[in-house]
Amino acid sequence: MTTDPETIGMVAGWLHEARSVVVLTGAGVSAESGLPTFRDPEVGLWAEYDPMELATIGAFERDPELVTRWYHWRFTKSRDVRPNPGHDALARLEALLNALAPGGAPPFTLITQNIDGLHQRAGSRRVVELHGSFHRWRCTRTGREKDLADLSFERFPVVSDAGGLMRPCVVWFGETLPPEALEASFDALARCDLFLSVGTSATVHPAAGLIEIARAAGARTVEINKDPTANTDAVDAAIGGLSGSVLPDLLRRMDELASGAPARDT
Ligand code: BJW
């Protein structure tokens, strides 16, 4: 793991050269906005309960009030925070790569495991939500979906007009991922020549396996993470640090490359 300017300059060069970039993000990218990650010791309902046990259909069936409160608490927390410089840098990267290669296949795909919508709020346009979103909820009886804004959270759990419990449109353990999200991910990975894994512990599948698909397609692989993960020793470049600092740094280096200015050490 390194934060040395040489590695950052090298990865900025790869980004500048790449024709198709895929970025996979996890909870670490939203940490600097003030949202708890899954596997760091945390506050509120996260300190009292193991998030890995709440994110299951079994937990919802056993205690729908608790699980609904947890997701609603997470939504209100996310509504009250802002995207951080890491989210902003990824939105700028997308715009920059689109401007460098107008037309044809999209040169940038952001695949996120996060359900908080912060990438979209930062201005990212092409976002694949692998684990769904807590902005949409669906009736467990009819399958009909509603926007969170159209639901009342005065009582927990939330019951639909049809008498079914409402659950967030997120992917819990043992559930399959949205087929359209998987398809969009596989499409992008098949043509990607640079893959970045950012702020994820890379422990949950199938997201954790996407890096292998990118590698098999011939892509260079990069990890940006606060702590080492199972990927750290296998990637072409591992940058240890906070995504809210490393990503803006990479963008600055890319701007310098795009304007022809010599890259300076930061
Ligand atoms: C920073 C930072 C900063 C902090 N800057 N970095 C193959 C092998 C083994 C098991 C399986 C397998 N295939 C399937 C499975 C089973 C299971 C699984 O993966 N289990 C593992 C635990 C072993 N997978 C599934 O069940 C999936 N479904 C599936 O495969 O269906 C087919 C199937 C069905 C039935 C049987 C078999 C197959 C579904 C997985 C759904 C995951 N859902 C959750 C909840 C989503 C809704 C919600 O948000 O509540 O997704 S669990 C949770 O983990 C959430 C996250 O998206 C996901 C990943 O977590 P993430 O983002 O990596 O967060 P953290 O906290 O783990 O890591 C944060 C990292 O950031 C850390 O490394 C920090 O250091 C770092 N960091 N601040 C940079 N500022």
Side-chain angles (χ1 to χ4, degrees):
M1 300 272 276
T2 176
T3 47
D4 78 89
E6 211 170 290
T7 308
I8 300 219
M10 178 177 76
V11 174
W14 292 351
L15 276 167
H16 186 68
E17 285 165 13
R19 276 169 308 167
S20 183
V21 177
V22 173
V23 178
L24 171 70
T25 63
V29 168
S30 294
E32 288 160 87
S33 291
L35 301 184
T37 64
F38 278 86
R39 292 163 189 86
D40 291 330
E42 279 305 339
V43 292
L45 283 178
W46 297 62
E48 220 173 312
Y49 302 96
D50 179 356
M52 305 309 283
E53 278 167 27
L54 290 186
T56 65
I57 185 70
F60 184 71
E61 284 169 356
R62 266 192 312 279
D63 195 341
E65 176 179 343
L66 172 66
V67 175
T68 306
R69 275 187 193 283
W70 186 55
Y71 278 97
H72 188 251
W73 177 79
R74 287 173 61 193
F75 161 71
T76 52
K77 215 167 156 50
S78 78
R79 186 192 53 196
D80 297 343
V81 302
R82 289 168 176 237
N84 65 58
H87 295 107
D88 295 341
L90 289 173
R92 277 195 49 227
L93 179 61
E94 178 177 17
L96 199 62
L97 293 175
N98 280 336
L100 286 174
F108 181 85
T109 302
L110 177 53
I111 304 173
T112 189
Q113 299 168 83
N114 300 343
I115 62 169
D116 56 33
L118 287 182
H119 284 303
Q120 291 89 335
R121 277 171 57 193
S124 286
R125 307 289 287 272
R126 196 179 155 74
V127 184
V128 178
E129 293 181 312
L130 216 47
H131 292 164
S133 162
F134 56 29
H135 293 95
R136 301 281 304 161
W137 289 60
R138 72 170 175 269
C139 172
T140 50
R141 183 169 290 176
T142 64
R144 196 165 327 132
E145 291 188 12
K146 274 196 166 186
D147 279 341
L148 175 139
D150 297 327
L151 293 173
S152 162
F153 287 88
E154 276 165 18
R155 289 200 186 144
F156 295 90
V158 178
V159 178
S160 76
D161 298 341
L165 292 178
M166 294 298 289
R167 60 159 286 178
C169 293
V170 301
V171 184
W172 285 328
F173 281 114
E175 295 185 324
T176 51
L177 279 65
E180 63 285 357
L182 279 175
E183 200 179 316
S185 302
F186 294 147
D187 269 6
L189 289 164
R191 58 186 147 73
C192 113
D193 49 16
L194 184 59
F195 179 94
L196 273 70
S197 171
V198 188
T200 173
S201 59
T203 47
V204 173
H205 289 266
L210 299 185
I211 193 165
E212 287 306 331
I213 301 176
R215 198 175 278 128
R220 282 177 169 137
T221 55
V222 176
E223 179 180 74
I224 299 168
N225 215 68
K226 180 168 74 72
D227 305 304
T229 75
N231 285 331
T232 308
D233 291 335
V235 289
D236 295 305
I239 304 177
L242 302 182
S243 50
S245 310
V246 174
L247 288 168
D249 238 16
L250 276 173
L251 262 286
R252 266 192 298 278
R253 292 305 193 97
M254 275 191 77
D255 284 343
E256 287 169 352
L257 290 172
S259 69
R264 291 184 308 271
D265 286 352
T266 46

